[in-house]
Amino acid sequence: MAAEIHSRPQSSRPVLLNKIEGHSDSVNAAVLIPKEDGVITVSEDRTIRVWLKRDSGQYWPSIYHTVSSPCSCMSYHHDSRRIFIGQDNGAVVVSVTVSPPRGLILCVCVCVCVCAAHQNRVSDLIFSLESQWVISTGHDKSISWMSTQSGSMLGRHSFGSWASCLQYDNDTQHAFVGDYSGQITLLKLEEQTCSVITTLKGHAGSVSALYWDPVQRWLFSGASDHSVIMWDIGGRQGRSLLLQGHHEKVQALWYLPLTHQLLSCSADGGITVWNMETTREEAPQWLDSDSCQKCAQPFFWNIKQMWDSKTLGLRQHHCRKCGKAICGKCSSKRSTYPIMGFEFQVRVCDDCYDTIKEEDRTPLATFHEGKHNIAHMDMDPSRGLMVTCGSDRVVKVTHTFVLVF
């Protein structure tokens, strides 16, 4: 089957290979088993399942393991066959899959240890082989890290909001934590303590997905404000790029360095592929003003100018291209402007609209439909495969349309 996938030509849309059904509740995470025709899933129905592909082409559960609480997230380390599960009750479960003899389908999942990492639902977790740590975030507004060698808790740090997602840099031991306030906190983790390096602010809604590329040192974040932001951490200039190409909450991200493409998935099933190789511009900061910066008419809170000019105040808007505060009359036009990340039409002032050429409207992203709710995504670029899952209890294995070997 893998050879068959490799020989296919690149497609303009994803090709569905398999649809896995069987869970009785939302599937919160699904990962592809590298170099094997297998998928691991965890669900709100309290089950961990390992699906192996049979000769018929269908996936069947080789492991069906039930735990004490709904499974909220997962991290899988293939070489050691360890599965790390975050649960709704705050526990982190470490399990090991025992491979079957060649030719047999069924295998065994053995629970190694259970750690009370949080006091509420575990929102995300990562296993670091280099540190031998399991790092997790939870709805108890904290990040914790434990040693997989001793099983002991090493440290904990609290935030002001629910911690929703997590990424980790193995080389520097830096953790990135997104939360429900829309902030991303960068921390340096040590054996027994941690320090806050900085806080990234840019989203207008809760941060729901993070992806860290350690080579370019780019951090990608997706949020409930339907946007994606690329933070250039390695550049150390505070540079960030706004990407707007979704109509719903962005819940999964994946960056492909070989093709310089970013995949983002949203709750409505939208899959957007961003070209990150092209030169892009930062969206401007919105300017503050008490009157329109084009026609000088007062905004409705500018009582003095309204009184002096005997006019009614106007509602304030902002041009997405120049950032100026403008009234509705001076921003009657709409346009896409992909170089700034605006793939959909946005408000621009009339002056900026006249400067946008037709070639400036050429899309720098492609849009596809996953045709189901996507809460989590995993990829195996070497085989050109992607797996998605969500609240509709369906897991889809798809031949990706972005990378062909």
Side-chain angles (χ1 to χ4, degrees):
M1 187 64 183
E4 185 178 319
I5 292 173
H6 291 182
S7 65
R8 287 174 178 156
Q10 187 167 2
S11 172
S12 61
R13 61 183 178 84
V15 177
L16 179 64
L17 300 179
N18 293 92
K19 185 163 70 171
I20 302 172
E21 298 176 292
H23 284 284
S24 60
D25 209 333
S26 299
V27 183
N28 290 322
V31 299
L32 293 159
I33 303 176
K35 303 176 183 178
E36 298 179 20
D37 284 328
V39 177
I40 305 173
T41 59
V42 298
S43 169
E44 289 288 330
D45 63 11
R46 300 189 298 115
T47 63
I48 306 167
R49 308 189 193 196
V50 178
W51 308 79
L52 296 181
K53 193 173 184 180
R54 293 191 172 181
D55 294 338
S56 63
Q58 298 300 311
Y59 285 87
W60 289 85
S62 176
I63 289 179
Y64 184 107
H65 182 68
T66 303
V67 292
S68 60
S69 181
C71 305
S72 53
C73 53
M74 169 179 53
S75 178
Y76 175 63
H77 185 252
H78 180 65
D79 290 341
S80 63
R81 298 281 179 166
R82 281 182 288 183
I83 308 172
F84 304 88
I85 309 295
Q87 294 186 277
D88 188 66
N89 62 4
V92 171
V93 178
V94 182
S95 299
V96 176
T97 61
V98 180
S99 299
R102 187 174 182 85
L104 296 180
I105 290 295
L106 293 178
C107 51
V108 180
C109 184
V110 179
C111 180
V112 176
C113 70
V114 178
C115 176
H118 297 273
Q119 297 178 351
N120 207 327
R121 184 180 180 91
V122 181
S123 56
D124 204 353
L125 82 168
I126 289 175
F127 169 65
S128 169
L129 179 65
E130 291 80 0
S131 305
Q132 287 295 317
W133 292 352
V134 175
I135 307 145
S136 60
T137 54
H139 287 182
D140 58 357
K141 305 179 182 180
S142 75
I143 178 175
S144 67
W145 55 105
M146 60 171 280
S147 169
T148 57
Q149 295 175 319
S150 65
S152 61
M153 187 64 63
L154 298 176
R156 183 187 303 274
H157 178 81
S158 296
F159 306 96
S161 302
W162 278 5
S164 51
C165 49
L166 169 71
Q167 285 287 275
Y168 181 71
D169 183 73
N170 287 302
D171 293 336
T172 63
Q173 294 186 328
H174 284 146
F176 304 90
V177 180
D179 65 35
Y180 271 67
S181 73
Q183 296 184 165
I184 302 167
T185 304
L186 170 58
L187 306 101
K188 168 72 172 179
L189 302 186
E190 305 286 354
E191 278 284 347
Q192 302 294 333
T193 185
C194 73
S195 55
V196 176
I197 306 301
T198 189
T199 301
L200 306 175
K201 300 178 181 179
H203 285 291
S206 60
V207 181
S208 45
L210 292 174
Y211 191 92
W212 170 247
D213 177 52
V215 178
Q216 297 287 345
R217 303 195 68 76
W218 289 345
L219 178 70
F220 298 94
S221 60
S224 61
D225 60 6
H226 310 171
S227 71
V228 176
I229 297 179
M230 189 214 81
W231 308 87
D232 187 2
I233 304 297
R236 299 186 178 183
Q237 300 295 322
R239 180 171 176 263
S240 61
L241 298 176
L242 177 66
L243 305 173
Q244 292 191 339
H246 288 280
H247 297 292
E248 280 293 340
K249 176 181 180 180
V250 180
Q251 301 196 125
L253 297 166
W254 196 283
Y255 179 67
L256 295 164
L258 291 180
T259 56
H260 307 285
Q261 291 171 306
L262 171 71
L263 272 73
S264 56
C265 301
S266 56
D268 61 357
I271 302 172
T272 303
V273 183
W274 304 89
N275 178 3
M276 301 305 299
E277 190 173 23
T278 187
T279 301
R280 293 181 178 271
E281 296 178 9
E282 288 188 78
Q285 294 290 323
W286 286 2
L287 302 178
D288 293 325
S289 179
D290 292 328
S291 58
C292 176
Q293 294 180 305
K294 294 295 182 181
C295 67
Q297 289 295 305
F299 293 131
F300 63 84
W301 60 83
N302 190 347
I303 304 298
K304 184 179 185 304
Q305 187 177 345
M306 288 167 55
W307 177 264
D308 292 343
S309 61
K310 301 296 187 292
T311 58
L312 292 174
L314 304 176
R315 182 182 175 186
Q316 183 190 62
H317 301 282
H318 284 91
C319 173
R320 294 335 190 248
K321 188 175 185 294
C322 68
K324 289 183 178 180
I326 47 178
C327 66
K329 184 178 179 182
C330 293
S331 58
S332 60
K333 307 289 180 62
R334 303 291 184 273
S335 177
T336 62
Y337 198 54
I339 197 171
M340 279 189 182
F342 300 116
E343 294 289 339
F344 301 152
Q345 290 196 348
V346 292
R347 181 186 296 270
V348 293
C349 67
D350 294 349
D351 290 347
C352 284
Y353 183 87
D354 293 337
T355 67
I356 300 175
K357 302 175 182 178
E358 194 59 37
E359 55 264 32
D360 295 334
R361 297 186 174 93
T362 303
L364 297 177
T366 57
F367 304 92
H368 310 270
E369 181 55 57
K371 298 183 179 179
H372 78 135
N373 171 268
I374 299 177
H376 185 269
M377 167 182 57
D378 184 52
M379 293 193 70
D380 184 350
S382 65
R383 292 185 291 161
L385 296 180
M386 175 174 68
V387 61
T388 57
C389 63
S391 60
D392 59 359
R393 300 176 287 183
V394 173
V395 179
K396 289 187 177 183
V397 180
T398 305
H399 173 234
T400 60
F401 39 86
V402 292
L403 190 60
V404 175
F405 288 86

